Amino acid sequence: GDSVTQMEGPVTLSEEAFLTINCTYTATGYPSLFWYVQYPGEGLQLLLKATKADDKGSNKGFEATYRKETTSFHLEKGSVQVSDSAVYFCALRGTQGGSEKLVFGKGMKLTVNP
Amino acid sequence: DGGITQSPKYLFRKEGQNVTLSCEQNLNHDAMYWYRQDPGQGLRLIYYSQIVNDFQKGDIAEGYSVSREKKESFPLTVTSAQKNPTAFYLCASSSNTGQSRETQYFGPGTRLLVL
């Protein structure tokens, strides 16, 4: 079945450091890919998404490119801020039966220090 | 403001007790979902519903039950058969049409603790 593998962390960075969170997936066909962010004690918020190969999703300085050849959707930000401290989840929505469901990675906790 | 509300924020369950978690949305979304979040395990799907009066089991439905009598409401009952209910429960919804149909929107969550 469909699956998502992502860096699990936790990761601690200094403010203004470069961030990369790796995410790879296994799925049949062409799934849609998502990054969600969860701030402490809250639900998940959609950060960005991409629905087809070579699409780039971007939001709040974060970017991720849908790479079909490497089955990857790595999240990047050039300069992190303290306010980016959160848990980041990579997810996919498949194209086969039951594709209404999202399949999530285990999440990666990021802490950004001043 | 449109959104998803979950109540209560914290819920305590006694041994052998059934408890119900509320989820309401005013986004006019057709589909609704319940996830369970445990530390280090990401989110796992409990139940989902694509339309009113219909719902499907997810990956970990045992010990849980749901109903979908109204479009805007999708309550989750944690029964006494669920032996390890302590977790953070997240409700989500999505539209079945339009450009945003693939995106799920989440509520703030309910933390369930066992006394």
Side-chain angles (χ1 to χ4, degrees), chain A residues 11-112:
Chain A
V11 169
T12 301
L13 296 175
S14 298
E15 205 164 26
E16 299 184 4
F18 183 83
L19 170 70
T20 299
I21 306 176
N22 288 341
C23 173
T24 57
Y25 67 89
T26 301
T28 304
Y30 295 86
S32 295
L33 302 173
F34 305 82
W35 277 101
Y36 280 87
V37 59
Q38 183 179 35
Y39 299 102
E42 299 183 7
L44 274 66
Q45 300 176 24
L46 178 68
L47 183 58
L48 54 84
K49 70 178 186 180
T51 58
K52 60 183 187 294
D54 300 325
D55 265 3
K56 178 186 284 187
S58 62
N59 186 25
K60 299 181 181 179
F62 291 89
E63 292 184 340
T65 300
Y66 188 143
R67 298 290 187 198
K68 179 67 175 174
E69 64 275 15
T70 54
T71 62
S72 65
F73 193 54
H74 304 323
L75 182 69
E76 296 182 336
K77 185 174 186 181
S79 176
V80 294
Q81 306 300 310
V82 173
S83 58
D84 294 326
S85 298
V87 180
Y88 292 82
F89 292 93
C90 185
L92 71 80
R93 186 180 187 272
T95 57
Q96 302 301 307
S99 63
E100 307 82 7
K101 300 184 292 184
L102 283 178
V103 176
F104 287 88
K106 293 186 176 181
M108 196 209 79
K109 183 177 181 180
L110 170 68
T111 302
V112 180

Side-chain angles (χ1 to χ4, degrees), chain B residues 22-76:
Chain B
S22 169
C23 177
E24 303 277 334
Q25 54 96 2
N26 61 4
L27 299 168
N28 199 33
H29 285 169
D30 295 297
M32 297 186 73
Y33 312 80
W34 273 106
Y35 292 90
R36 170 179 171 142
Q37 184 179 19
D38 295 282
Q41 291 196 44
L43 277 72
R44 293 181 290 171
L45 183 65
I46 304 172
Y47 268 98
Y48 64 103
S49 168
Q50 294 294 303
I51 57 172
V52 174
N53 293 322
D54 187 49
F55 48 83
Q56 307 295 327
K57 291 182 178 180
D59 300 317
I60 55 164
E62 186 175 350
Y64 300 96
S65 66
V66 293
S67 63
R68 186 83 187 278
E69 297 176 1
K70 298 186 296 183
K71 185 176 184 177
E72 57 271 21
S73 179
F74 191 41
L76 173 74

Side-chain angles (χ1 to χ4, degrees), chain B:
Chain B
D1 287 341
I4 303 173
T5 57
Q6 292 186 240
S7 62
K9 187 171 184 178
Y10 295 96
L11 185 58
F12 298 91
R13 194 190 91 164
K14 296 180 181 178
E15 199 74 34
Q17 185 182 41
N18 292 351
V19 292
T20 297
L21 286 62
S22 169
C23 177
E24 303 277 334
Q25 54 96 2
N26 61 4
L27 299 168
N28 199 33
H29 285 169
D30 295 297
M32 297 186 73
Y33 312 80
W34 273 106
Y35 292 90
R36 170 179 171 142
Q37 184 179 19
D38 295 282
Q41 291 196 44
L43 277 72
R44 293 181 290 171
L45 183 65
I46 304 172
Y47 268 98
Y48 64 103
S49 168
Q50 294 294 303
I51 57 172
V52 174
N53 293 322
D54 187 49
F55 48 83
Q56 307 295 327
K57 291 182 178 180
D59 300 317
I60 55 164
E62 186 175 350
Y64 300 96
S65 66
V66 293
S67 63
R68 186 83 187 278
E69 297 176 1
K70 298 186 296 183
K71 185 176 184 177
E72 57 271 21
S73 179
F74 191 41
L76 173 74
T77 297
V78 184
T79 74
S80 57
Q82 173 51 243
K83 298 306 180 188
N84 184 24
T86 297
F88 191 49
Y89 290 86
L90 288 161
C91 179
S93 71
S94 66
S95 172
N96 285 343
T97 60
Q99 286 189 337
S100 63
R101 63 183 172 86
E102 296 184 318
T103 301
Q104 291 186 18
Y105 297 88
F106 285 79
T110 292
R111 188 164 297 280
L112 177 60
L113 301 166
V114 177
L115 295 177

